[in-house]
Amino acid sequence: MVNDRRIPAESGGIEALPASFAIRFSPSSHLISIVRRFVHSFYGKVLDDAELASQLALATHELLENAVKYGTTNEAGLAVTVAELDDGFSITVAIRNRAEEEDIAEARRLIDALAGAADPFAYYQELMHEAAERVDGSGLGIARIAAETGMTLEAAIVDDELEIRARTTFKPRRST
Amino acid sequence: MNIPDLVSGELTASGARDGDSVRLSFSGNADARVDRELEAFLGKVHAEILRDPASEVIVDIRALEFMNSSCFKGFITWIVQVRRMDPKSRYRIRFLSTSKHPWQKRSLHAISYFGGELIVIESDN
């Protein structure tokens, strides 16, 4: 159960929380960019934090493209959830889609490697070197989220679908 | 330059010679629809400079709203090509970026670390 709460306006100009949403659609490249722009604009407004909104948009885009590339159906679910914590908010971008077992295993391997890496940025650099030699795809999308946004990643199977979640926390700025 | 503009999907890219340097301008949205074309465009720029050397390529991405990871890979591949050149012939790659698009700072930090002394980053902030 998500426990959303409205953040008082006096805490920093945030206009409207709760601010969670979920959609299920057939994510073409064109639609992915539209959804990314929505996430960027919407969370830029309600969180009043352009940097964080940009990070959420990047995670949304990369995860949705991942779903297109590795999905076995033309459907994917996107959920962005803002949940209250004791000292702020947790924000999760989750993408769900059906995928082949081997691709699920590869996604989990990569996410585990990122989680276990002493320095995710250094691990990302290793993957960038590998990407230069790849013919097909970059293999960078998931690692880019971790390294460039600092969001933590996890993978789970939910209703027979692979769900990849990128999570961060947010503390509203206090007005002076 | 003998390189046609790239106009595809929501991306536009163009190149122009300016004395000893080359200026590339990108605008729009670089997503999965254009990754191969973008990589090919950068490959042509590199080939052109091998034919007619330049000391620097200025890459203006200030009007680039977003770049996905597969397009990002195109720049990585290009940097590796430059790095493999004879050190005396290598050219610098100077990125012009904007704080208006926060992803640029984060992604260019990764590119700068990857490319080392070949890369120069300028931001408008």
Side-chain angles (χ1 to χ4, degrees), chain A residues 4-17:
Chain A
D4 291 336
R5 290 288 184 273
R6 189 169 293 269
I7 298 177
E10 62 269 21
S11 72
I14 292 163
E15 295 181 356
L17 285 177

Side-chain angles (χ1 to χ4, degrees), chain A residues 29-30 33 36-37 51 54-55 61-62 65 121 124-125 128-129 131-138 140-141 144 148, chain B residues 10 29 31-33 36 65-70 72-73 76-77 80 83-84 102-103 106-107 109-111 113-114:
Chain A
S29 291
H30 181 59
S33 287
R36 183 196 73 236
R37 290 182 181 116
E51 173 65 31
S54 172
Q55 293 174 9
H61 192 107
E62 295 292 357
E65 283 199 340
F121 185 80
Y124 183 43
Q125 290 287 319
M128 287 170 67
H129 283 278
E133 309 302 327
R134 286 176 66 129
V135 175
D136 187 33
S138 72
L140 293 173
R144 186 185 190 198
E148 294 191 16
Chain B
E10 300 175 37
N29 176 33
D31 64 15
R33 287 171 284 178
R36 289 176 190 274
E65 171 197 343
F66 184 74
M67 178 163 60
N68 79 338
S69 56
S70 57
F72 186 69
K73 181 219 171 192
I76 293 167
T77 303
V80 168
R83 193 188 280 151
R84 286 176 178 161
W103 68 267
R106 301 189 301 266
S107 295
H109 173 64
I111 279 185
Y113 198 88
F114 182 81

Side-chain angles (χ1 to χ4, degrees), chain B residues 46 77-85 90-91 93 118:
Chain B
H46 183 67
T77 303
W78 178 33
I79 291 165
V80 168
Q81 288 178 319
V82 178
R83 193 188 280 151
R84 286 176 178 161
M85 293 171 69
R90 287 176 190 159
Y91 51 90
I93 302 173
L118 291 176

Side-chain angles (χ1 to χ4, degrees), chain A residues 99-163:
Chain A
E100 299 284 358
E101 285 296 324
E102 62 186 87
D103 291 327
I104 292 172
E106 176 59 18
R108 286 187 142 153
R109 185 200 64 75
L110 179 57
I111 288 169
D112 288 346
L114 283 163
D119 181 354
F121 185 80
Y123 186 63
Y124 183 43
Q125 290 287 319
E126 286 179 29
L127 294 178
M128 287 170 67
H129 283 278
E130 292 175 13
E133 309 302 327
R134 286 176 66 129
V135 175
D136 187 33
S138 72
L140 293 173
I142 287 176
R144 186 185 190 198
I145 296 168
E148 294 191 16
T149 75
M151 297 178 85
T152 56
L153 291 151
E154 60 186 51
I157 299 297
V158 181
D159 295 337
D160 293 330
E161 292 187 312
L162 171 64
E163 181 168 289

Side-chain angles (χ1 to χ4, degrees), chain B residues 34-50:
Chain B
V34 298
D35 52 7
R36 289 176 190 274
E37 289 158 290
L38 175 59
E39 188 163 337
F41 176 83
L42 294 172
K44 288 174 188 170
V45 170
H46 183 67
E48 176 78 7
I49 294 172
L50 291 180

